[in-house]
Amino acid sequence: MTEPLHRALGLTDDELASIRSTLGREPNRDELAMYAAMWSEHCSYKSSKVYLRSLPTQGPRILVGPGQDAGAVDVGDGLAAVFKMESHSHPSAIEPYQGAATGVGGIVRDVVAMGARPIAILDPLRFGPLSDDRNRWLLEGVVAGIGGYGNCIGVPTVGGELQFARPHAANPTVNVMCVGVAPAERLVTSAREVREGSVLVLFGAATGRDGIGGVSVLASRTIEDGADETRPSVQIGDPFAEKLLIEASLELVDRGLLEGLQDLGGAGITCAVSESAARAGLGAEIDLDAVPLRERGLEPFEILTSESQERMLAVVAPDRVDEVRAVCERWGLPAVVVGRLVDGGALRVRIRGTTVAEVSARSLADEGPEYARPREPPEAQDDLLNDDPTFATVTTSPEDAFVTVLSSPNIAGKQWVWEQYDSIVQGGTVRGPGGDAALVRIEGTLRALALSSDGKGRFGLLDPYLGAAHAVAESARNVACTGATPLAITNCLNFGNPERPEVMWQFAESVRGIADACRALETPVTGGNVSFYNESGDSAIWPTAMIGMLGVIEDYRLAVSQAFGPGSWIYLAGETFPELGGSEFGEAVLGVVGGRPPALDLERERALHLLLVHAAGTGMLQSGHDCAEGGLAMALAESAIAGGTGFAVTIPGDEPPHIGMFSESASRAVLSVDPSRATELEDAAAGLGVPLARLGETGGPRIVFDGVFEMTVEEAGAIHENAIPMLLAG
Amino acid sequence: MRYRAQIVVSLKDGLLDPQGKAVEGSLPALGWTNVSGVRVGRYVQLDLEADGADAAEDQVRRMAERLLSNPVIETFDVVDISERNGA
Amino acid sequence: MRYRAQIVVSLKDGLLDPQGKAVEGSLPALGWTNVSGVRVGRYVQLDLEADGADAAEDQVRRMAERLLSNPVIETFDVVDISERNGA
Amino acid sequence: MSELPRIGVVTFPGSLDDRDALRAVAFMGGEGVPLWHADRDLAGVDAVILPGGFSYGDYLRCGAIARFAPVMEEVAAFADAGGLVVGICNGFQILCEAGLLPGALVRNRQLRFVCRWVHIRVETSISPLTGDLVAGEVLRVPVKHGEGRFVATDEQLARIEGEGFVVFRYCGDDGALGDEHTPNGASNAIAGIRNEAGNVVGLMPHPEHAVDPDVGATGGQPLFASLLSSALARVAP
Ligand SMILES: Nc1ncnc2c1ncn2[C@@H]1O[C@H](COP(=O)(O)OP(=O)(O)O)[C@@H](O)[C@H]1O
Ligand SMILES: [Mg+2]
């Protein structure tokens, strides 16, 4: 049977009907293709919009909120930090290198389109277990692709995440976050004055049959059904062209030659032109004959929806076009006039003198469908919650458990990954990968941006609301641990098929969790990305709200690291409860993914951050480290390994040791101070109402849990560092 | 018997070939203005033991599909399989 | 006339070829234990206008020497030059 | 004489560490002079740095295309006349491709890009970067490359070693050599070499990323200090 064209393109009958009524006639196939691309889940957010509206987006330091290419935050001195996170999971699942590489290219262009110079990349990743050689192939390819592209364009990759879970085997999660900096008054936002008659200049790579329908097909249909026709939609990245595109774009912005700038991503020219026009409340005329093509014989709808990489669209005043051309030429980039903005809201497309499409720009860009899809918790949800490792009888010795958790690939050192990334190019990396948050200084100031990306898959599966809220809390804590103040987030929401009520419930709960946490921690949402259909058959990935947190430290010379040095007193800030639900211990040692995730008191969380920032700012701390995955035991071990310095501690509380060691109670950090500053820290903590318990001291070559077990830091370090390389060796 | 196989792996037609593009772009500066359609691929040569050329070719094809290329973006071509006496 | 040339560039024999070794190393795990001597090189295909095959071959060799290969580490082989009528 | 040494840094399409090199020159008290690949002009600088990066994407071979840039004719002439030329990472690769230095740089043995702080041992004072140092000194600097494994023909290698053209080797913090200290499998742990005349040097590590204590170790400082004093010392050709 041959299904009708609109369905083949991913449009429902109702969507077709509403296109008909907007046009007052049948759409031709070029128009249908344009709508299909623009109204795809990926471009229109039709299933998620209703929920995303509930996110807090206002704040004194927010310069640009959601809705633009990327969000922007005031970081002082009239400078803006621009950042956004995006998913490239679907292409990466079938061509890991190019899929991940083009993911980097896309998010970098989003930041450049705001007029900002990209200064950092982070790459939170999820894969299936490394025992399967396909998962090893995916991990190796994705990491090589992110490095291959990021290293080649000269933007340092300074952080990310790498976690493993079986449900991510068929659908790996590949998110990439890019951060840029620009003078606030020079940001290229739609607020800019764009006039009727302004010229549309397309510059960068030529257009080919790349990812035709890639957005609407690749991102809106699950891998399984029709994997074959989705395949050609994977694109080849050209990082060299991207580097030239970045330099040319920023020179155009610096020289004030632009009224607007748009990257060409999903839905290609159709998206860039209709959004530019709609934002200006205008229409547009474009001439496809002008578009440089990579091969002969492209049909109009192919040119209109092609997702060829490394292209940008500039909105330029007519008298500036020649200057724009000259700049592009200097960087070796073709630049052509493809059209202009016109009065009235119509987007008119011509080729060889005849009009092939005439539709309302606003209907394409802003009037896509919007669904409040049915949602309800999975039946099995309660059974999951009731299977709680906190109450399991544990026969494994604390020492064996320690080694098991330390060598679990979720906890183990990630240097195999980040050594493949240039983390120092541009000369601003004060703190690269390996700590709680990366620090990238803002040139010419003593300020640095603090960046962390975190997602909580297991917690999310057990309680999507808590999972998302914990992700926000942990990323903010990671930032605060360095002494920086968390300011705002971006996010990428990775879920299964939204047409299934369970998935929609997970999504709605996650958004609610992000909203509550961001309100309480005063870190508004500046933007993000939604990736649905991450499932095969009916096995979806774990609901994963990936959070990208941005903070600022006023003087990076006062930044705190997680590394222990000798002769300090060790404190645990925050309180430990018997909370092994959804813990690494539960999965790695007991083989249980179940239970209630730890409770989260956002007021306590915020108090902890205030303490961390204050203590760092007054130079009290020898070290500070987030206490999260793997619990207190792992936080202590990581600080010891990082500093090559041992410790001796007594686990507080009278529960069995494995509770105190591996519970993942929220709002905690492991601090070390010179004894002479101890009372100062205790007073500060008391003042802010943060529980503070002294655990012991640092020093020596050994890790010592009093009366439980001990081992050398060297041995622990080797286990931590070698775990992932050994798994990859198969 | 021992065979030597030669396989060429190249990007599918229509896909951007950044390497080819870069080479082509650099030729005019070197005075060669008459060149077009530059494509850069991978060349793999290997020796294998097999009883008969057909068996050899069959295995080479399976290796090329599974390991030497990714059918999502690449095509391969077994350009030659010939018997190697001795070494 | 228009010619299509195919050039293979490979690492000199003495040189360690980690890519070839990696491929070879991963074959047994996939059940292929009869393969040896895997070498990975570069394959370049291009079209050029020239009056006569000799002129074409001559230019291709010069391009291969100057740009497509590095004599310190690589050797090249013009595996084929054939006339292409039309496009 | 109060005049600052003027150090040119060439920007090719795809150069990445050009800004960092200019910053490092200024940090160490020199004057950085940006140079452009398409210009046949070195602006009368006292020394030239070919910076790190991915010129022309490093497609085909690293440095294979950049070596034909117009500015390279000037750089070659400058080098022949005794001018000081330093190639860092991609710059080293370009110098090898251009034949201004022997050997070549190929894919890392482990087939992965590597970004890591390493130690290198100075092997000779004869080079634009080591004039103020003595053989045996150990410096901490970062490497970041995918194709940094130095190789050469047997004859070349024999000559490079025989005549002391090796300027840097990868080593441990104590200066000891060992495979575990070599991040890419380079022949004889070679991290950098010079030409016969001693006025051209190339190295894979990035001294320009090791001058500012706020962002790491400072093993690059003595190298830039040497470059600046050699640049001052000689009258540019
Ligand atoms: N995919 C990755 N790319 C770059 N850096 C990574 C990646 N995965 C982990 N890292 C780095 O390893 C360190 C530990 O990661 P993680 O355990 O997630 O830290 P935390 O638990 O404090 O959030 C962090 O500095 C992180 O940036
Ligand atoms: Mg984390």
Side-chain angles (χ1 to χ4, degrees):
Chain A
M1 61 136 242
T2 60
E3 60 179 340
L5 179 62
H6 69 277
R7 285 203 212 132
L9 287 167
L11 288 165
T12 67
D13 297 359
D14 293 351
E15 288 165 353
L16 176 60
S18 87
I19 294 169
R20 282 205 190 98
S21 65
T22 335
L23 298 181
R25 59 175 168 83
E26 262 323 292
N28 66 39
R29 60 199 291 265
D30 296 318
E31 293 166 334
L32 207 53
M34 293 164 79
Y35 274 100
M38 290 301 289
W39 286 13
S40 68
E41 188 65 60
H42 178 90
C43 287
S44 71
Y45 290 79
K46 53 190 167 191
S47 305
S48 53
K49 261 190 227 158
V50 279
Y51 300 101
L52 298 177
R53 280 197 199 97
S54 66
L55 294 168
T57 60
Q58 305 295 320
R61 304 187 74 153
I62 305 304
L63 298 170
V64 178
Q68 304 275 331
D69 294 309
V73 177
D74 178 351
V75 291
D77 299 324
L79 293 172
V82 174
F83 67 127
K84 178 140 183 282
M85 192 189 290
E86 211 162 63
S87 153
H88 237 227
S89 304
H90 290 94
S92 302
I94 52 176
E95 204 333 272
Y97 184 101
Q98 295 297 343
T102 50
V104 173
I107 193 64
V108 165
R109 286 192 296 279
D110 272 323
V111 166
V112 171
M114 297 291 293
R117 175 169 289 279
I119 62 164
I121 292 168
L122 291 86
D123 66 333
L125 309 173
R126 298 289 186 273
F127 295 93
L130 290 178
S131 47
D132 176 337
D133 58 11
R134 185 163 187 284
N135 298 337
R136 295 199 290 268
W137 172 73
L138 286 168
L139 171 62
E140 284 168 351
V142 163
V143 169
I146 289 166
Y149 204 100
N151 298 344
C152 189
I153 60 175
V155 181
T157 299
V158 297
E161 251 202 337
L162 175 59
Q163 304 272 310
F164 300 87
R166 187 152 273 101
H168 289 262
N171 297 86
T173 297
V174 176
N175 292 170
V176 187
M177 169 173 163
C178 180
V179 185
V181 169
E185 87 283 352
R186 232 192 264 158
L187 287 176
V188 184
T189 65
S190 56
R192 285 210 174 186
E193 173 70 21
V194 174
R195 272 169 246 81
E196 185 258 325
S198 293
V199 176
L200 300 169
V201 177
L202 178 69
F203 64 103
T207 298
R209 282 195 183 81
D210 295 305
I212 302 301
V215 229
S216 50
V217 180
L218 246 197
S220 304
R221 296 217 179 157
T222 51
I223 296 290
E224 256 197 351
D225 45 285
D228 270 35
E229 61 274 21
T230 66
R231 283 183 168 185
S233 304
V234 175
Q235 300 148 62
I236 308 298
D238 182 351
F240 173 56
E242 179 100 344
K243 167 66 176 170
L244 303 176
L245 198 66
I246 294 170
E247 298 305 331
S249 301
L250 295 179
E251 188 174 331
L252 291 171
V253 172
D254 290 346
R255 294 176 43 177
L257 296 175
L258 303 183
E259 291 178 345
L261 185 59
Q262 282 265 324
D263 63 297
L264 275 74
I269 292 177
T270 301
C271 180
V273 172
S274 59
E275 282 186 1
S276 299
R279 284 177 182 174
L282 295 167
E285 286 177 356
I286 58 173
D287 180 357
L288 298 184
D289 299 313
V291 177
L293 301 180
R294 207 169 64 223
E295 53 184 315
R296 272 191 242 86
L298 265 70
E299 295 198 52
F301 81 89
E302 291 182 302
I303 302 173
L304 283 164
T305 61
S306 163
E307 291 173 10
S308 290
Q309 303 286 306
E310 292 96 22
R311 300 178 300 165
M312 288 279 216
L313 184 77
V315 184
V316 184
D319 57 344
R320 298 294 220 154
V321 171
D322 294 343
E323 287 167 87
V324 169
R325 276 220 189 82
V327 169
C328 292
E329 185 164 333
R330 181 163 180 274
W331 287 104
L333 295 175
V336 299
V337 172
V338 291
R340 53 193 193 83
L341 297 177
V342 297
D343 263 338
L347 166 51
R348 210 168 295 109
V349 181
R350 286 222 185 73
I351 186 162
R352 284 176 234 96
T354 61
T355 300
V356 291
E358 178 160 5
V359 301
S360 144
R362 261 178 67 241
S363 75
L364 277 175
D366 305 332
E367 291 164 1
E370 185 172 312
Y371 300 125
R373 300 190 184 274
R375 51 191 160 113
E376 94 203 16
E379 295 107 6
Q381 200 67 22
D382 288 344
D383 311 351
L384 271 177
L385 292 175
N386 295 332
D387 182 12
D388 197 325
T390 311
F391 313 110
T393 41
V394 174
T395 54
T396 318
S397 77
E399 177 166 13
D400 294 347
F402 178 85
V403 171
T404 306
V405 174
L406 187 61
S407 58
S408 132
N410 294 335
I411 299 291
K414 304 299 194 297
Q415 40 273 81
W416 180 90
V417 174
W418 43 260
E419 277 198 347
Q420 297 185 56
Y421 301 150
D422 182 345
S423 53
I424 63 176
V425 65
Q426 290 189 25
T429 307
V430 175
R431 190 79 48 79
D436 284 322
L439 296 174
V440 181
R441 67 179 169 187
I442 303 171
E443 202 165 356
T445 75
L446 284 177
R447 288 206 188 81
L449 302 180
L451 307 166
S452 176
S453 63
D454 295 275
K456 308 290 282 183
R458 258 190 318 253
F459 289 4
L461 174 73
L462 301 172
D463 182 334
Y465 171 87
L466 268 182
H470 272 290
V472 174
E474 180 177 332
S475 58
R477 205 182 312 133
N478 285 171
V479 162
C481 278
T482 66
T485 303
L487 292 182
I489 73 159
T490 182
N491 67 84
C492 187
L493 306 176
N494 305 274
F495 290 81
N497 179 350
E499 294 154 43
R500 291 198 299 127
E502 310 87 275
V503 170
M504 214 52 226
W505 173 79
Q506 293 174 326
F507 182 81
E509 284 296 287
S510 302
V511 172
R512 201 167 59 84
I514 294 173
D516 287 353
C518 286
R519 264 188 214 95
L521 301 178
E522 293 178 27
T523 55
V525 180
T526 62
N529 171 244
V530 177
S531 174
F532 279 128
Y533 299 97
N534 292 286
E535 66 177 55
S536 314
D538 61 358
S539 85
I541 60 166
W542 282 350
T544 309
M546 208 69 83
I547 305 300
M549 181 66 66
L550 180 140
V552 165
I553 184 167
E554 288 303 315
D555 182 346
Y556 58 74
R557 295 168 307 180
L558 290 174
V560 173
S561 95
Q562 69 185 45
F564 279 160
S568 310
W569 287 0
I570 302 173
Y571 286 88
L572 175 65
E575 219 171 332
T576 307
F577 304 96
E579 294 178 307
L580 288 174
S583 64
E584 190 66 41
F585 177 90
E587 182 170 14
V589 177
L590 305 177
V592 177
V593 177
R596 247 167 234 296
L600 178 59
D601 177 334
L602 290 162
E603 283 320 306
R604 278 169 164 251
E605 183 71 45
R606 182 153 167 68
L608 175 67
H609 302 173
L610 294 173
L611 174 66
L612 291 166
V613 172
H614 168 75
T618 51
M620 278 182 223
L621 300 179
Q622 294 292 325
S623 76
H625 185 27
D626 167 35
C627 182
E629 293 98 347
L632 178 58
M634 290 306 119
L636 287 163
E638 286 164 6
S639 287
I641 292 165
T645 304
F647 61 81
V649 296
T650 2
I651 303 296
D654 37 26
E655 292 91 359
H658 74 268
I659 299 279
M661 289 173 72
F662 300 109
S663 165
E664 297 187 5
S665 295
S667 315
R668 297 180 302 160
V670 169
L671 311 176
S672 71
V673 293
D674 184 278
S676 66
R677 311 288 300 267
T679 39
E680 217 178 321
L681 178 65
E682 289 169 4
D683 297 345
L688 288 159
V690 176
L692 193 71
R694 197 179 140 197
L695 304 181
E697 302 179 351
T698 66
R702 306 181 70 74
I703 284 172
V704 179
F705 292 94
D706 256 332
V708 186
F709 77 91
E710 52 181 276
M711 76 168 52
T712 64
V713 176
E714 201 178 352
E715 190 183 346
I719 293 169
H720 187 251
E721 179 168 347
N722 298 335
I724 286 179
M726 277 165 58
L727 285 165
L728 282 169
Chain B
M1 281 146 294
R2 186 191 198 73
Y3 294 87
R4 167 157 298 179
Q6 298 175 36
I7 304 105
V8 165
V9 180
S10 29
L11 284 169
K12 283 183 174 172
D13 290 345
L15 282 178
L16 171 68
D17 175 2
Q19 291 200 62
K21 201 175 113 205
V23 172
E24 192 166 323
S26 67
L27 289 170
L30 304 182
W32 290 302
T33 54
N34 57 341
V35 181
S36 63
V38 181
R39 306 282 289 176
V40 177
R42 244 182 352 272
Y43 168 84
V44 182
Q45 173 189 297
L46 53 83
D47 298 345
L48 74 165
E49 293 290 341
D51 32 17
D54 294 358
E57 163 137 17
D58 178 61
Q59 177 181 338
V60 169
R61 297 197 155 282
R62 280 182 288 114
M63 293 193 295
E65 267 154 23
R66 274 197 70 185
L67 187 68
L68 303 179
S69 73
N70 179 357
V72 174
I73 52 168
E74 295 167 323
T75 57
F76 69 88
D77 179 15
V78 180
V79 290
D80 182 65
I81 293 202
S82 46
E83 195 173 338
R84 307 199 67 215
N85 346 48
Chain C
M1 281 148 298
R2 186 191 198 76
Y3 295 87
R4 169 157 296 178
Q6 298 176 38
I7 305 105
V8 165
V9 179
S10 20
L11 278 176
K12 282 185 175 172
D13 279 347
L15 270 179
L16 168 69
D17 172 11
Q19 253 181 303
K21 274 181 63 185
V23 171
E24 198 166 321
S26 58
L27 287 169
L30 303 175
W32 291 302
T33 54
N34 56 339
V35 181
S36 62
V38 180
R39 308 281 292 174
V40 177
R42 202 180 307 113
Y43 168 83
V44 183
Q45 173 189 299
L46 53 83
D47 298 343
L48 72 166
E49 293 290 340
D51 31 17
D54 296 358
E57 164 137 21
D58 178 61
Q59 178 181 338
V60 170
R61 297 199 155 282
R62 279 182 288 115
M63 293 192 294
E65 271 155 20
R66 274 195 81 189
L67 180 69
L68 302 179
S69 75
N70 175 347
V72 176
I73 46 170
E74 296 167 327
T75 58
F76 72 87
D77 178 15
V78 181
V79 289
D80 181 65
I81 293 201
S82 45
E83 193 172 338
R84 309 198 66 215
N85 351 45
Chain D
M1 54 178 259
S2 63
E3 189 170 307
L4 297 181
R6 301 176 67 243
I7 313 295
V9 177
V10 178
T11 295
F12 297 94
S15 293
L16 304 179
D17 304 278
D18 44 351
R19 283 194 191 80
D20 309 85
L22 289 165
R23 209 186 289 113
V25 166
F27 188 96
M28 296 301 293
E31 179 192 349
V33 181
L35 302 174
W36 184 245
H37 68 100
D39 298 342
R40 285 193 166 71
D41 172 20
L42 298 184
V45 294
D46 304 312
V48 174
I49 295 176
L50 305 186
F54 287 72
S55 57
Y56 297 91
D58 278 354
Y59 302 146
L60 192 62
R61 281 184 323 279
C62 302
I65 296 177
R67 68 165 275 211
F68 293 110
V71 75
M72 284 305 293
E73 290 172 26
E74 301 307 311
V75 171
F78 183 75
D80 290 345
L84 303 176
V85 178
V86 178
I88 301 171
C89 196
N90 195 225
F92 185 13
Q93 294 161 335
I94 294 169
L95 289 174
C96 290
E97 282 283 339
L100 291 170
L101 286 174
L105 294 139
V106 296
R107 194 97 178 265
N108 295 349
R109 184 179 44 188
Q110 70 275 29
L111 295 175
R112 294 191 302 274
F113 188 95
V114 59
C115 176
R116 180 190 296 169
W117 284 81
V118 299
H119 291 92
I120 53 173
R121 191 177 74 194
V122 174
E123 301 290 294
T124 172
S125 309
I126 306 172
S127 93
L129 288 174
T130 52
D132 300 354
L133 290 83
V134 296
E137 285 189 60
V138 173
L139 305 168
R140 187 164 157 76
V141 290
V143 292
K144 48 187 190 86
H145 57 250
E147 308 194 9
R149 175 166 54 108
F150 182 81
V151 295
T153 64
D154 296 350
E155 312 75 59
Q156 282 177 325
L157 202 54
R159 181 138 192 269
I160 288 166
E161 290 291 354
E163 307 195 17
F165 294 167
V166 179
V167 180
F168 303 104
R169 290 186 211 272
Y170 302 104
C171 64
D173 54 5
D174 58 354
L177 301 182
D179 195 49
E180 70 277 20
H181 302 309
T182 305
N184 50 32
S187 313
N188 303 358
I190 290 173
I193 58 169
R194 64 169 173 91
N195 66 347
E196 181 168 15
N199 62 312
V200 178
V201 63
L203 73 169
M204 284 316 294
H206 286 264
E208 81 279 22
H209 283 287
V211 296
D212 180 349
D214 284 354
V215 288
T218 55
Q221 285 191 6
L223 299 178
F224 273 87
S226 297
L227 176 62
L228 296 187
S229 45
S230 330
L232 261 190
R234 74 174 59 201
V235 197

